[in-house]
Structures are given as C-alpha cells and as structure tokens.
Amino acid sequence: MTSGGPLTTALGIAILAMLALTVLPAQQRETTTAVRASASTLTPLDYIEIQQLVRKSAWALDSGDNYGYAYADLFTPDGAFVGTNQGTEGRTIQGRDQLATLARGGTRGHTVQSHLTMNHIVKASGDGATGRAYVVVVDVGVVGKPNKVNHGGYYDDEYQKTPQGWRFKRRTYYESKVDVWPASAPRPGQ
Amino acid sequence: MKSMRIAIATAALSVLVVGFSGTSAQQPTSPTPVLTALDYLEIEQLVYRYGYALDTGADNGFAYADLYADDATFTGTNQGPSGRTYQGRERLAALARGGKRSPNFMSHWVTNVVIEPAPGGAVGKTYVGIFDIGNGGNGAKSRVDHGGIYNDVYVKTPQGWRFKSRSFFESTSGAPVQPPPAMLGTPRALSASPGPQSPNPESRNPNPGRLAAEDYIEIQQLVARYPYALDQNPDEGLSYANLFTPDAVFRQPRTEGRQNLARMASGAPHGAKYARHFLANHVIEATPDGAVGKQYLVAVDIGESAQPSSIFLGGHYEDVYAKTPEGWRFKTRTFIASATATEAK
C-alpha cells in the first residue's frame, strides 16, 4: 500500500493530465488552429469586407432602406435569419421577400439608430467564414420615452463569398442570458 | 569624378523617391480611387480616435481639430434650429474643449463604421451611442444620453487620412419607411481594391514601427475575442488567460500569470449566451517593440425576464500588445474607469 500510494497518485495525475489535454485545451487548440487557418485563407480585405457586411446589416435593419431589401440583399439567396428570442421555439426567416419584410417591420427610418454592433470576431471555415458580434439595442430619440438600453445579445454568423461579395448565409441571434453569477460579483444596482 | 556621378545618381534617385511618395500622399485624382486594406484600416483608426479626442479635450482641443483637413468642417445638425457648422482649426479645437471633458472621460461609442471609396477619397457613416457614464458607473446613475449618426467625407493628406467633413444627425424614431436616396451606395464587393489573389504590397510590413494590415486585423481580433472569453468563459478562464502572454499583467485588480488570470475571469458572471462587455473605438498604434492600443468599454447588464437593463460600468482599456509565435497577445491591459472629476488638460 505504501509503495502503491504514490504510484496510484502518479497514475491519477497522468490520467488527469491526459484528460486535461483532451478536454480542456481542446478549445484552446481549436482557437489557435482557427486563427492560423484564418491567417492563411482570409486576406485582410476579406476580414474588412466581412466587417463591413456586419456593420451594414445594422444600418439596413434600422433604416428599413429600400423597403427592407437593403437588408435582404446582405444575405445569400438561400440565406436565413434565426431569432432564437422570437416565440418559445425561436423563428427562422428565409428568402429575400421574407427577410425584407422583417427589415421593414417595427420602427424603421434613416433617423433610427438602435443596433450597436461590437466585438466582431471572424474565423475562416471550410467553405467561407464564421463570426460572432455583440449587439446592444438602444432606444434613443424615441418620442415620449427615455433613452435606454432596450436589450442585447450576440449574433452567430455564417458568411459566404459570392460574386457580389461576402454575404450572410445564416445569422442567428441569441439574447444575453447569464448562467453563473459568483457570490463575490456585485449584482446590478449594488 | 566617380564619386560625383554617384552623388548625382543618388540625388536623382532621391528626387524620384520623394516625387513618388509625394504623389502617393496627394489626394486621389481618379473618380473612384482604389482603397487598399490599409486605407480602410487607417480611416477606421481616424474614426475611432475621434471619440478620445472629443471626450478628453486633449491638447486643449487641438487633438480633435487635427483630425480634420485644413478646410474641413463639422456640422452639428442638432445645434439650434438649423444646425451649426464649425470650420478652421481654432473653432474645432474650441468645440472639442467645450462641455464635459476629462482625460479619462468616455462618452462617444462609435460603431457600425461603413467606408466606401468616393471621388477625391472616401465617404463613410457611423453610429454613435453617447453614454453618460457617471464616474465609472459604480454608484452613479449611468445612462444612455443620446445617439445618432455621423456622415463623413475623408481625404488622404500627407499626414494621413483626415475628415474633410463630418455631420452629426440626432437619432429620432417614428419616421415611416420610405425610399429616400441612400446615403451610400448598395452593398458591393471590395473587388475594386486589390483582391485576394493579388497581395497588397502595403499589407506586408516593410518598416519596423509600422503595422501591416494583417497586424491590425489580428490585434482587432484579439481584442474582439476578449469579451467572449470573459462573458461566455467556456473553459474556466483558459481561453481568457490565453489571450495574454505568460508574463502579462492585468490591472485592476493587478493580476499576473495565466493561472491567476483564469481564476479572475471565472470570478466574473458568465454564461454560454452572456453578453456584457461591449468594446468600441479600438485605436491601435505601432511601437518599436510591437503595438499599443486602447478601446472604450461599456459593461451593460442586459435585463432578463422583463427586468430593465442597466449600465454596470464604463471606461477604457489601455493595452500593450506583443507578437508571439502564437500571434498577437496582451502584454499588459489596464482598465481605467470613466471619470469626470478633473478638467480637460
């Protein structure tokens, strides 16, 4: 037992180390690989064009420009938007006319600025690129209402390069939701 | 005689080099100039510097004024019944040192920057969210003050890209959807610029102390990954810690070493769909050792289950970046809460 103790401990440490290598750093390795892959397959202009696409989507959505088609035309012909916060099951909107209808719904116009997108990450993927961007939706200048943060979350995107440039193949919106609030972290209003 | 011929040849070459540099720095003369990746990135940097220059009133307002070309204008369409236009370095500086200003005051969050080539240079448009962050947000009622858009015209000068004109339009809602003339053209590929198959010579880094387009992009991506690693934290802080060099220092609280950084990240609220740290105005500058940068932070507690949203804190990060074999990483990162207690310097 006395000689088996350290051996068992060493074996345990080795197994833990192997587990750590296979489980925890998997995401780390994936991140590193993705960054390397992106560096070799996406040029600076690809990054810039994808950044511009994401930024234009906020403009197109808030303005409802071109009767909503400015927004719809940022998607591939079979592109889809998924609003996971719409209804209990979420809602998928696919097709140019449907996306245009979405973009002209609600309060829209050239003087409406509501979707502030930030923190845009882009990675090369097998047949294009993927990305994520935070969005905070603010109410500013709404007649009769105070300026405030309305809601927010992030977009999960799939991009595809078309002859017309980069477009959304799929965009999924997730509303922000916290899972873990450590006891030591101050609560809102504290 | 030989040395004289060499001297003449050198002088002629110098004239050629100077002539070429001068030409490249002049205003583009083609109707629709080609914008390189670095042009896009440098215009974006100009746009992001605007927030700092205006909110801090640095250099007695002249840091702001010097973002404009000599004859450039700023128009505040929300000032008075018919708007107000400022032109000239002195007037623009006076504008920038008026109002609430302080070295660490952060107010103008600029996002959604869209840039397109245009005759004589480029045009752009951006959103601006103007937050009233009361001394860091802690203990004070921070709020969304107002917001709107900037409509810009940029010009390339010998000193770099500058505003030729900038106009602010306040956001208001309720306008019906109509098809007024678009402020910018329809989305299109950047194919007019050198494409993926024709590497942009400017994107390589011929000069130490100057960043290549790839460096700007990688540093942008490093900073953009930061909120995800902190807010979503899928791996007990490992992704967060790996954004830093092994000897990195984060302040405040002062935290050193990846293990401690991972622990610090795990002490913050997180979740697979959590979004709290919103970063904007990312300015990046080359240094002899790598690069430094800064960006605005507003931490928003998005209301869940019909609860109202609130601003937790605001301020800015100041960073030192180091290029490692794994890519760009934070060497130091310091958070400075927004404060209005001191006067503009």
Side-chain angles (χ1 to χ4, degrees):
Chain A
M1 262 324 259
T2 47
S3 61
L7 188 62
T8 310
T9 309
L11 196 62
I13 289 170
I15 289 169
L16 273 176
M18 282 174 69
L19 272 175
L21 276 172
T22 52
V23 180
L24 275 183
Q27 278 158 315
Q28 178 193 352
R29 285 201 304 273
E30 183 192 335
T31 306
T32 309
T33 309
V35 169
R36 282 186 185 142
S38 66
S40 62
T41 54
L42 292 179
T43 66
L45 274 172
D46 285 323
Y47 277 100
I48 289 166
E49 194 181 336
I50 293 169
Q51 287 175 342
Q52 293 283 304
L53 173 73
V54 164
R55 297 169 188 182
K56 283 173 182 170
S57 71
W59 285 90
L61 188 59
D62 289 342
S63 67
D65 228 3
N66 197 19
Y67 210 57
Y69 285 97
Y71 179 77
D73 290 342
L74 299 174
F75 288 76
T76 58
D78 62 344
F81 171 80
V82 183
T84 63
N85 61 328
Q86 297 184 21
T88 49
E89 305 277 313
R91 190 174 157 219
T92 299
I93 295 137
Q94 189 167 25
R96 188 167 181 259
D97 288 333
Q98 288 75 12
L99 288 164
T101 304
L102 168 74
R104 63 175 177 261
T107 305
R108 304 285 186 249
H110 272 172
T111 58
V112 175
Q113 281 79 43
S114 136
H115 290 75
L116 304 179
T117 59
M118 295 177 238
N119 308 343
H120 186 195
I121 53 173
V122 180
K123 290 179 184 175
S125 68
D127 56 349
T130 60
R132 253 180 206 186
Y134 277 29
V135 59
V136 59
V137 183
V138 294
D139 291 335
V140 285
V142 181
V143 175
K145 289 187 179 176
N147 293 337
K148 64 178 172 63
V149 172
N150 188 305
H151 66 293
Y154 69 87
Y155 295 112
D156 234 344
D157 296 335
E158 294 172 29
Y159 314 110
Q160 192 174 64
K161 197 167 193 174
T162 75
Q164 290 74 42
W166 285 93
R167 294 290 183 268
F168 294 107
K169 187 166 175 56
R170 193 173 183 84
R171 159 161 272 209
T172 307
Y173 173 71
Y174 295 95
E175 187 82 7
S176 175
K177 181 182 176 302
V178 69
D179 296 332
V180 179
W181 200 293
S184 56
R187 292 267 171 190
Q190 285 183 340
Chain B
M1 194 60 190
K2 188 182 175 189
S3 61
M4 183 174 275
R5 277 201 300 270
I6 291 171
I8 290 169
T10 307
L13 190 62
S14 303
V15 167
L16 273 174
V17 169
V18 168
F20 179 76
S21 308
T23 303
S24 65
Q26 283 171 3
Q27 288 186 21
T29 52
S30 61
T32 328
V34 170
L35 295 183
T36 65
L38 269 177
D39 284 323
Y40 281 96
L41 291 162
E42 286 173 7
I43 292 170
E44 196 175 286
Q45 289 293 301
L46 171 74
V47 167
Y48 293 154
R49 285 196 179 94
Y50 182 94
Y52 295 91
L54 186 57
D55 293 341
T56 62
D59 295 336
N60 213 20
F62 286 100
Y64 174 83
D66 290 341
L67 299 176
Y68 289 81
D70 286 345
D71 57 347
T73 57
F74 171 80
T75 302
T77 65
N78 60 330
Q79 298 183 20
S82 55
R84 192 170 167 209
T85 296
Y86 303 79
Q87 187 169 28
R89 191 166 180 258
E90 294 293 337
R91 289 182 184 86
L92 289 165
L95 168 70
R97 62 176 173 261
K100 197 186 281 185
R101 306 285 184 255
S102 188
N104 291 325
F105 179 54
M106 304 294 132
S107 170
H108 290 72
W109 266 253
V110 177
T111 69
N112 300 342
V113 183
V114 174
I115 299 161
E116 290 192 0
V123 295
K125 55 183 186 178
T126 83
Y127 277 30
V128 58
I130 301 168
F131 297 94
D132 187 357
I133 308 287
N135 286 333
N138 291 321
K141 283 280 183 193
S142 294
R143 63 190 181 91
V144 179
D145 192 290
H146 64 297
I149 63 168
Y150 292 116
N151 259 3
D152 297 335
V153 178
Y154 313 109
V155 62
K156 196 167 190 176
T157 74
Q159 289 75 42
W161 285 94
R162 294 289 183 272
F163 294 106
K164 187 170 174 56
S165 72
R166 163 160 271 206
S167 300
F168 173 71
F169 295 85
E170 183 100 17
S171 181
T172 58
S173 74
V177 175
Q178 292 171 352
M183 285 179 281
L184 290 175
T186 49
R188 58 189 175 82
L190 303 180
S191 51
S193 306
Q197 305 311 319
S198 32
N200 169 16
E202 278 194 68
S203 70
R204 294 184 219 106
N205 190 357
N207 308 315
R210 191 185 173 202
L211 294 172
E214 285 87 347
D215 292 316
Y216 278 106
I217 298 283
E218 283 183 29
I219 294 170
Q220 282 181 345
Q221 290 292 300
L222 170 73
V223 168
R225 288 204 297 271
Y226 183 91
Y228 296 90
L230 189 56
D231 296 342
Q232 296 167 18
N233 190 358
D235 49 13
E236 297 179 347
L238 199 65
S239 291
Y240 178 83
N242 283 334
L243 299 175
F244 293 81
T245 60
D247 62 344
V249 177
F250 176 88
R251 311 181 188 88
Q252 297 287 335
R254 186 183 175 93
T255 309
E256 292 179 61
R258 283 179 166 165
Q259 202 171 3
N260 291 328
L261 287 164
R263 195 176 299 126
M264 182 181 73
S266 293
H270 54 276
K273 295 173 185 167
Y274 192 45
R276 192 186 207 201
H277 290 77
F278 292 83
L279 303 174
N281 301 351
H282 187 192
V283 169
I284 301 165
E285 287 178 5
T287 64
D289 299 331
V292 295
K294 54 187 179 180
Q295 74 274 178
Y296 281 27
L297 164 74
V298 60
V300 182
D301 286 319
I302 304 288
E304 295 179 25
S305 308
Q307 292 299 306
S309 299
S310 58
I311 293 171
F312 175 61
L313 59 80
H316 76 283
Y317 288 109
E318 292 190 358
D319 301 330
V320 177
Y321 312 111
K323 197 168 191 174
T324 75
E326 288 75 41
W328 285 93
R329 294 288 183 272
F330 294 107
K331 189 166 173 58
T332 68
R333 184 157 171 83
T334 305
F335 176 70
I336 299 161
S338 179
T340 56
T342 53
E343 295 298 319
K345 59 184 175 185

